[in-house]
Amino acid sequence: MTSARTRDLVDDAVRRGTAVLCFNVITLEHAEGIVAGLERAGSAGLLQVSENAVRYREGRAGPLLAACHELAEAAAVPVGLHLDHLQDAGLLSDGVASAAQYGVTSLMVDAAHLGYEDNIATTAAVARSAHAALLWVEAELGEVGGKDGAHAPGVRTDPAQAVEFVAATGVDGLAVAVGSSHAMTSATARLDLDLIRRLAAVVPVPLVLHGSSGVPPAVLQDAVRAGIRKINVGTALNAALTAQVRLTLAADARLTDPRRYLAPAREAVADVVAASCATVAAA
């Protein structure tokens, strides 16, 4: 099966009233585990490489993107490739320029840390160049996690401003601040489901939830029912991978072959992916 386009996967989720899952890739084991989990669940999904992951690779995104593309092409289910949380102007430019080479069909421009007008200007400029390259473009409005916490006043996405933002930037998807936070290691986030419903009722593009690792499964299902159409998963994968590595190494102090501890860690990633797919499918 050839790799899928993000636009097609998101559009399908919109038609079916569900959400497409998008999983963070840092290592090859992440990517392999994600694809294995999607195949086990019989679900389509997205591999996403963030700016932080590119920095970890010392700025060289090509090898990891090429590996993701090969895995997506060989997958038994539709798998697409997305660039996430791009802020650096050089990486944004490189991402647009090299997208076709690696099968990337979407990116997220992250300018939410800027003032509102600067967020619009930056996002609109990236959207124009990305659309010229036939990429689906996501942006963020509000502070996911918030500078002072996910529930601090003023950090959540305002519906009226979201409508204005989408019209001014021309983006295809909008990441919204509705109570989730990045990098949560416990599922204790409290989402504002009423705000999600109000946003979904007026914003003309699909809504994206970041920070889903901190959201209880039942609440995540409620968020899908309320109108979330793309869900990002990252920390839960890292927690599972790392926990399994610790367990394996603790069981044998003489172990040195990385294959012996990375193989079960990769399987732990697949387990999280399959469980995430089951959660969303039940919404």
Side-chain angles (χ1 to χ4, degrees):
M1 180 177 291
T2 58
S3 58
R5 296 195 314 160
T6 299
R7 184 181 302 279
D8 294 337
L9 297 185
V10 176
D11 286 351
D12 181 63
V14 171
R15 284 192 297 269
R16 296 190 296 115
T18 186
V20 61
L21 284 156
C22 193
F23 298 96
N24 282 15
V25 174
I26 300 173
T27 69
L28 181 57
E29 284 73 26
H30 278 92
E32 291 172 330
I34 292 164
V35 172
L38 290 171
E39 290 178 329
R40 187 190 308 169
S43 298
L46 292 161
L47 300 171
Q48 66 178 13
V49 175
S50 72
E51 179 170 310
N52 284 337
V54 175
R55 291 192 186 283
Y56 169 69
R57 299 276 162 195
E58 299 182 333
R60 295 187 290 271
L64 185 59
L65 290 174
C68 288
H69 183 47
E70 288 293 325
L71 287 165
E73 288 280 298
V77 293
V79 177
L81 186 53
H82 174 74
L83 295 174
D84 193 43
H85 278 290
L86 299 183
Q87 293 184 348
D88 182 83
L91 287 177
L92 280 162
S93 178
D94 290 347
V96 172
S98 64
Q101 179 181 355
Y102 299 113
V104 174
T105 61
S106 61
L107 61 81
M108 180 210 177
V109 50
D110 181 2
H113 59 291
L114 303 176
Y116 179 63
E117 295 299 332
D118 288 337
N119 188 357
I120 286 179
T122 299
T123 301
V126 174
R128 285 192 295 272
S129 61
H131 284 156
L134 304 180
L135 299 177
W136 186 91
V137 180
E138 175 185 335
E140 182 178 313
L141 183 64
E143 288 281 346
V144 176
K147 292 179 180 177
D148 301 307
H151 306 290
V155 302
R156 294 194 179 176
T157 307
D158 175 73
Q161 191 176 63
V163 172
E164 178 183 77
F165 181 85
V166 170
T169 59
V171 295
D172 305 295
L174 186 66
V176 290
V178 292
S180 59
S181 295
H182 292 109
M184 287 186 67
T185 56
S186 60
T188 56
R190 293 176 286 115
L191 296 187
D192 189 335
L193 297 170
D194 179 65
L195 176 56
I196 295 173
R197 283 188 285 267
R198 288 189 288 121
L199 286 163
V202 297
V203 176
V205 297
L207 302 181
V208 182
L209 181 69
H210 288 229
S212 74
S213 295
V215 181
V219 179
L220 196 61
Q221 292 172 340
D222 288 338
V224 174
R225 297 185 189 108
I228 293 294
R229 295 296 170 250
K230 176 176 174 284
I231 297 171
N232 286 14
V233 183
T235 301
L237 305 181
N238 297 338
L241 184 149
T242 303
Q244 187 57 57
V245 168
R246 287 194 175 110
L247 283 173
T248 305
L249 291 177
D252 184 354
R254 298 169 300 173
L255 185 59
T256 58
D257 185 344
R259 292 170 295 186
R260 297 281 299 280
Y261 56 83
L262 288 178
R266 181 176 57 197
E267 182 63 20
V269 169
D271 290 342
V272 172
V273 171
S276 298
C277 292
T279 294
V280 171

